Each structure stands twice: as C-alpha cells, then as structure tokens.
Amino acid sequence: MSEPPRLVVLISGRGSNLRALAEAIRQGRLRATIAAVISNRADAAGLAFAAEQGLPTRVVPQAGLSRAAHSDALRAAVLPFEPRLVCLAGFMRLLAPTFTQAFPNRIVNIHPSLLPAFPGLDAQRQAFDYGVKISGCTVHLVDDELDHGPIVMQSAVPALDDDTAETLAARILSAEHKTYPAAVERLLHEPWGIEGRRVVFQSSQSA
Ligand code: GRF
C-alpha cells in the first residue's frame, strides 16, 4: 500500500483543529499522515499535544523578523517534510508570497465565519455583534490576501437569540472540527480543479 499523503500543520495556539485532524486520521476518516507540526510560538498548547502524539515539532519564532524573513524561515522548516498540503490551524501570522508561491494551491486554512463575511481577527465576535442569524466556518485555499483564497468547503450553524459571542464561537468550533478533516480528505483523495475562484470537485458535478 502506498504511504498516505503528508500534511504539515501550522499552529499558533491551543491546537483543537490539529487534534481534530489527528483524531480523524486515527479513525480513518482522513487518509493522511501528519509529518510535522510547526508553530511560530514555543508556548502553543498544540505543540505539547503534538509531542505527546510523537509527531515531529518545530518552532519558528518571529521575534525580530520581518514577515518576509519569517516566511522564508517557515518555508525552510516545512520543505524537508515534503507535504502534499500545508494546513493552517489557528496560525496567526500572515504568510509572505514567497511562502505561498512555494506551495501553490497546497495551503489550506480554516476560518471561523462564512467567508467572505467577517475575515480577520475575532470573526465569531464580529458575526455576533453584527447580529447574523447564521454563521459557520470556511475551509479555503490560501492566497496572498487575508482569508481570501478559493473556498473548499463551508458549514453553517445557527446563531441563536440567547447566544453570547462565546456560545456562538463554541458552536462554530464544533463545526470546524468536522469540516476541516472532511475538506482535507476531499482535497487529498478526489480530483478537483479551480475555475476562476471556484474549487470544483469533479465527483460533485452533475451528469
Ligand atoms: C479556529 O477558530 C480557527 O478557525 C481560527 O483560529 C482558531 C484556532 O483554534 N483560524 P485552534 O487552535 O485550532 O483550537
């Protein structure tokens, strides 16, 4: 049997989406292997989880580095692991074009809103404050603009009248944990292409 495709996961914090990817792999819902977990922060809780799982970890600190220099250092850290996909999972640093160009259409991100609504920081609170009745999460390919690349998969959740920003965020997070592994599985194992801004899975096209 051929080796499952390799992922490198980039994190900055608690790493619950990293855990969701690892759990999906363990359960056979995601046919992949996590080749490495890389963080810009040595104190990211997700790094401890990765180490417990025996996954290779790297820290690429950004202190004192320009975005371009940090992205170069990240690219050098990621390349030896030869990932099919680079998965951003709460990675809180914008990547320079030298990074995105090194992995064309092979970087994915999960964002806690239905893009293009509410890009950027604190998306769940932005949606809550706006008063939306539906929110959700978006898995998208990463390009050089913030939370902008072609959409791979979205899941919607209701925003309820008795929600707080926190309860809405928790509902979105559970959707993220299902959606991210499912989107990565499709990207890895189904034929797809990009038409304009649209990610098109050939198996989803009508006859
Ligand atoms: C998630 O809400 C993700 O959508 C956003 O950052 C958060 C990361 O959470 N990009 P975690 O570190 O995966 O728990």
Side-chain angles (χ1 to χ4, degrees), residues 142-180:
V142 171
D143 65 11
D144 290 332
E145 286 178 54
L146 178 67
D147 300 329
H148 173 267
I151 291 172
V152 179
M153 197 181 281
Q154 293 184 300
S155 298
V157 303
L160 304 176
D161 288 350
D162 61 355
D163 266 336
T164 60
E166 290 72 29
T167 57
L168 177 59
R171 193 174 306 115
I172 294 171
L173 191 63
S174 344
E176 293 182 42
H177 294 160
K178 296 188 191 84
T179 308
Y180 207 6

Side-chain angles (χ1 to χ4, degrees), residues 1-202:
M1 225 172 69
S2 60
E3 243 190 65
R6 302 157 68 81
L7 309 175
V8 167
V9 184
L10 267 50
I11 63 168
S12 297
R14 71 189 156 182
S16 71
N17 279 288
L18 163 68
R19 282 172 185 263
L21 291 169
E23 181 68 1
I25 291 171
R26 201 179 61 75
Q27 295 176 347
R29 284 182 286 123
L30 172 55
R31 289 165 291 163
T33 181
I34 298 176
V37 176
I38 300 180
S39 177
N40 56 332
R41 299 181 56 121
D43 61 354
L47 277 181
F49 166 77
E52 275 164 30
Q53 301 294 304
L55 299 171
T57 61
R58 300 281 185 275
V59 178
V60 182
Q62 67 202 41
L65 296 184
S66 66
R67 180 181 306 159
H70 185 241
S71 283
D72 285 350
L74 271 174
R75 189 185 52 195
V78 172
L79 278 172
F81 293 103
E82 300 183 339
R84 175 89 70 83
L85 289 178
V86 177
C87 298
L88 309 187
F91 185 70
M92 302 301 284
R93 171 84 162 165
L94 279 176
L95 296 163
T98 47
F99 189 94
T100 47
Q101 283 156 18
F103 307 98
N105 291 331
R106 283 166 48 216
I107 311 172
V108 272
N109 183 41
I110 175 105
H111 182 76
S113 76
L114 293 175
L115 289 172
F118 313 119
L121 287 177
D122 230 349
Q124 307 95 324
R125 177 164 287 281
Q126 291 185 56
F128 177 80
D129 289 345
Y130 196 91
V132 299
K133 298 298 185 194
I134 295 175
S135 190
C137 63
T138 303
V139 177
H140 65 94
L141 299 177
V142 171
D143 65 11
D144 290 332
E145 286 178 54
L146 178 67
D147 300 329
H148 173 267
I151 291 172
V152 179
M153 197 181 281
Q154 293 184 300
S155 298
V157 303
L160 304 176
D161 288 350
D162 61 355
D163 266 336
T164 60
E166 290 72 29
T167 57
L168 177 59
R171 193 174 306 115
I172 294 171
L173 191 63
S174 344
E176 293 182 42
H177 294 160
K178 296 188 191 84
T179 308
Y180 207 6
V184 172
E185 167 71 13
R186 289 199 83 180
L187 286 173
L188 291 175
H189 296 289
E190 289 183 33
W192 58 274
I194 298 180
E195 296 175 10
R197 273 196 51 89
R198 300 170 60 241
V199 173
V200 177
F201 288 96
Q202 271 137 45

